[in-house]
Amino acid sequence: MISCIDSIFLKQVYLYGGQVTSWKNERREELLFLSSKALFQPPKPVRGGIPICFPQFGNLDSLEQHGFARNRLWSVDPDPPPCSSHTNSRAFIDLILRHSEEEAKIWSHRYELRLRVALGPAGDLMLTSRIRNTNTDGKSFTFTFAYHTYFFVTDISEVRVEGLETLDYLDNLQNRERFTEQGDAITFESEVDKIYLSTPTKIAILDHERKRTFELRKDGLPDAVVWNPWDKKAKAMADFGDEEYKHMLCVEAACVEKPITLKPGEEWKGRQEISIVPSSYCSGQLDPRGQLDLRRVTFGC
């Protein structure tokens, strides 16, 4: 586990899965959901935080659910790309995942997946991914991608999502049949598993009980997945508490409907940034265990 600490904020990133598992505000309140039953034992993915879904979102292809990136051991990137956009970051870490002989048995492409996790000056959490095709045989490859972000919420029945109203979505509970969202916001009374298409660059998750809004901004990721398993599915998952569905919501910046194709040498970039802002619910409007301490590590920026 890599702990990134400053005088106010804390985030934790595991090398297993290249996964952020904790992000706290200035009051040390946890902002990401992590199941009390999460397994930190390969090859199982960690239930919570922000898993990286690559090279496949879902299970529509021959690969394991959500691809293999979340089930692999990443390393600290020794040669990260320029970080001009994060020069004023409180703390940041660059991770990298490359092809392996083990993966070649199930996905025969060479790639580099670089992930930068950074805290902005106000404590915003920023993730930037770069994926490069490093094939030497001239072959292109195609992939889908998502930041599978688990937000911690006080009470799912008092949460609403704004920014996705009137959009088309694919309903995973109905064989990905296409529908159009109705109403002025998304609220939750039962299981939800939807892929919203051609979404705006900003989405808001309003937590009425905390009078707090998560503002998710994204780039290069046109879709957004919204998921909560509700009670029956929660009880069926070994790594998820029976009642924990009440305190989590996944809103995921993603590229699912139209997969990305890269020729050898080409690179794709996707980014999401999450910040916390005060909100007015009534108005409906926006008002891995080995540790590194980033105070002692220089990354060349």
Side-chain angles (χ1 to χ4, degrees):
M1 179 181 70
I2 302 170
S3 293
C4 306
I5 306 170
D6 64 18
S7 60
I8 301 178
F9 301 94
L10 167 69
K11 73 173 184 288
Q12 293 179 337
V13 185
Y14 276 78
L15 291 178
Y16 177 65
Q19 187 164 334
V20 178
T21 56
S22 178
W23 172 45
K24 296 182 179 181
N25 62 15
E26 69 279 2
R27 294 184 295 276
R28 292 294 192 265
E29 296 171 334
E30 182 57 62
L31 302 172
L32 297 178
F33 169 84
L34 182 68
S35 175
S36 62
K37 293 188 175 182
L39 302 175
F40 292 86
Q41 300 175 348
K44 296 294 185 180
V46 177
R47 176 72 68 182
I50 309 180
I52 303 296
C53 300
F54 169 84
Q56 171 184 298
F57 177 84
N59 59 359
L60 295 184
D61 208 338
S62 59
L63 299 176
E64 58 199 281
Q65 171 86 357
H66 294 327
F68 49 70
R70 64 180 185 155
N71 299 332
R72 296 293 185 267
L73 185 64
W74 296 51
S75 59
V76 176
D77 190 346
D79 186 26
C83 56
S84 58
S85 62
H86 298 322
T87 300
N88 296 321
S89 298
R90 288 180 179 270
F92 63 92
I93 185 73
D94 289 277
L95 304 180
I96 189 166
L97 181 69
R98 291 190 174 98
H99 65 278
S100 68
E101 294 301 321
E102 179 183 1
E103 289 165 6
K105 300 174 183 177
I106 58 174
W107 204 64
S108 60
H109 298 290
R110 300 170 65 92
Y111 68 91
E112 286 184 349
L113 170 48
R114 297 178 184 268
L115 173 67
R116 171 163 293 150
V117 183
L119 285 174
D124 298 354
L125 180 61
M126 299 174 284
L127 280 74
T128 303
S129 294
R130 299 171 185 262
I131 298 171
R132 178 175 291 274
N133 182 338
T134 59
N135 278 333
T136 57
D137 58 7
K139 293 184 179 179
S140 300
F141 64 68
T142 299
F143 65 93
T144 51
F145 182 94
Y147 291 118
H148 199 321
T149 306
Y150 286 75
F151 291 96
F152 176 83
V153 298
T154 312
D155 180 353
I156 187 62
S157 66
E158 297 291 341
V159 171
R160 57 190 285 160
V161 177
E162 296 182 352
L164 303 177
E165 51 275 9
T166 74
L167 298 181
D168 285 357
Y169 65 88
L170 306 178
D171 194 333
N172 285 323
L173 301 180
Q174 300 192 49
N175 297 314
R176 287 203 173 187
E177 188 174 348
R178 190 173 185 130
F179 299 93
T180 299
E181 186 61 56
Q182 307 296 321
D184 59 356
I186 301 168
T187 56
F188 301 91
E189 299 176 345
S190 61
E191 181 182 358
V192 174
D193 191 354
K194 299 176 179 179
I195 304 170
Y196 289 85
L197 311 175
S198 302
T199 60
T201 58
K202 184 167 67 176
I203 300 168
I205 302 101
L206 287 77
D207 186 337
H208 173 48
E209 290 294 316
R210 289 287 172 92
K211 294 181 172 58
R212 179 171 67 195
T213 294
F214 295 98
E215 187 176 276
L216 186 155
R217 298 179 295 280
K218 57 191 180 69
D219 183 55
L221 297 159
D223 305 321
V225 181
V226 178
W227 178 68
N228 182 289
W230 220 251
D231 54 349
K232 291 183 179 179
K233 190 162 288 185
K235 293 176 181 178
M237 294 188 289
D239 61 347
F240 195 92
D242 290 355
E243 301 295 316
E244 288 184 331
Y245 74 93
K246 297 177 181 178
H247 306 297
M248 57 75 62
L249 177 65
C250 286
V251 179
E252 313 166 32
C255 186
V256 179
E257 183 190 25
K258 298 177 181 178
I260 301 153
T261 298
L262 294 179
K263 297 177 181 178
E266 290 185 335
E267 181 180 89
W268 168 86
K269 178 180 177 180
R271 183 174 183 271
Q272 80 166 17
E273 180 175 347
I274 310 169
S275 58
I276 302 295
V277 297
S279 63
S280 172
Y281 181 83
C282 295
S283 71
Q285 301 294 326
L286 289 179
D287 259 19
R289 309 280 181 181
Q291 294 192 15
L292 294 177
D293 189 335
L294 289 194
R295 292 172 298 183
R296 302 176 182 174
V297 183
T298 300
F299 294 95
C301 296

